[in-house]
Amino acid sequence: MVIPVHDVNPVRRTPWVTYALIAASVFVFLTTPGIAGSVAGGSDLAQLCHLQAFVDHYAAVPRELIHHQMLRLVPTGDVGVGPQGPGCVVAPPGYDKSPPLSVFTAMFLHGSWLHLLGNMLFLLIFGNNVEDRMGHIRFFLFYVVCGYAAGYGFALLNATSGEPLIGASGAIAGVLGAYIVLWPKARVWVLVPFLIFLPLRLPAWLVLGFWFVLQAVYSSGHAVTGAGTVAYAAHVVGFLAGMLLAWPLKPGTPPAPEPRGLLFGRRARPRHTW
């Protein structure tokens, strides 16, 4: 994967919703029970069980979304000892959970710093322009709709799965889909890992198109979620939803500036300013 670091596409107004979504995601991550020990690799079994119970409570679970009912057994957060040794206790849920609402809460949950920072990087780079084009309220609604499309799309493809689905990736994929429709020729600074990180300035259609193709390829055989796995199918659905919703805005969208010069290293910087 290439790593985007900046796009050459100025905005007219401050992207307050984008900043608020990033702040909320970071806040939820830092206050998630047991996440600190899990990330540091020093959490004990009690912390892991507490974390698992919290995630299952607020994450979107495909089987719950499709059948609109909670799982029969869920982690309680307690530690018990079974035939195979100590583990996390599961029991009938002692709380009420709205499966549709869980899609929204799951958008703010992340399982690791890498998961969080990767999502927030893409949202920061590409979300500000989409928000600038749509306006604050419409952008927030767009973000949520893409997240729901990704969540339910993934659930339809994995209707029997009881694994929790977390992360803002589906909604952010929608942002990427909107960006590639509205500014396909905008230049994006990326770092390409090739022995060292090579700085390149590439058109958005190439950067985001390559990202989408990778998600589609991976989803063909790895459309699952859970610890250590990625819900690639949710990315594909979110991206397509974002493209579809942004298409009516394309005719009135001013084009991004097209810098001149080479597309590599320092000489890739524009020869004039805006």
Side-chain angles (χ1 to χ4, degrees):
M1 278 294 295
V2 297
I3 303 172
V5 293
H6 177 65
D7 66 331
V8 186
N9 195 2
V11 296
R12 299 166 298 172
R13 49 189 164 186
T14 304
W16 294 117
V17 174
T18 298
Y19 292 159
L21 290 171
I22 294 174
S25 297
V26 173
F27 175 79
V28 171
F29 180 79
L30 294 176
T31 56
T32 297
I35 194 67
S38 176
V39 171
S43 58
D44 56 22
L45 181 59
Q47 290 178 312
L48 291 176
C49 292
H50 198 187
L51 174 61
Q52 185 178 0
F54 180 86
V55 169
D56 276 59
H57 188 170
Y58 294 103
V61 179
R63 197 187 309 168
E64 294 179 342
L65 296 180
I66 297 302
H67 300 291
H68 200 71
Q69 60 183 13
M70 295 180 61
L71 298 178
R72 188 174 62 87
L73 298 174
V74 298
T76 65
D78 298 324
V79 177
V81 180
Q84 298 181 348
C88 299
V89 176
V90 295
Y95 52 82
D96 292 326
K97 178 181 179 180
S98 169
L101 182 59
S102 70
V103 179
F104 180 78
T105 56
M107 295 181 203
F108 298 92
L109 298 175
H110 292 84
S112 68
W113 276 111
L114 184 62
H115 188 200
L116 174 70
L117 295 178
N119 276 346
M120 296 305 103
L121 175 64
F122 275 80
L123 179 57
L124 180 63
I125 293 173
F126 301 105
N128 59 347
N129 291 103
V130 179
E131 180 180 349
D132 187 49
R133 179 66 182 91
M134 293 183 174
H136 305 310
I137 296 177
R138 282 203 299 174
F139 174 72
F140 177 74
L141 295 176
F142 164 84
Y143 183 89
V144 172
V145 168
C146 289
Y148 268 84
Y152 273 96
F154 180 83
L156 287 172
L157 296 172
N158 300 270
T160 61
S161 174
E163 295 294 327
L165 178 67
I166 62 173
S169 304
I172 295 171
V175 173
L176 305 186
Y179 195 100
I180 200 173
V181 165
L182 299 175
W183 300 283
K185 296 181 180 180
R187 298 297 181 180
V188 181
W189 280 96
V190 299
L191 296 177
V192 179
F194 183 76
L195 299 180
I196 60 173
F197 283 101
L198 299 177
L200 297 176
R201 193 179 64 201
L202 304 174
W205 67 264
L206 180 59
V207 176
L208 301 182
F210 177 68
W211 180 90
F212 175 75
V213 169
L214 282 181
Q215 309 310 303
V217 170
Y218 293 155
S219 69
S220 63
H222 302 281
V224 295
T225 188
T229 58
V230 179
Y232 293 108
H235 301 174
V236 172
V237 175
F239 191 93
L240 295 176
M243 291 184 68
L244 181 64
L245 292 172
W247 199 266
L249 299 176
K250 183 175 177 60
T253 301
E258 297 187 20
R260 302 174 182 174
L262 300 176
L263 303 181
F264 174 77
R266 294 182 178 179
R267 297 181 64 186
R269 296 174 181 171
R271 296 177 181 174
H272 59 277
T273 58
W274 299 281

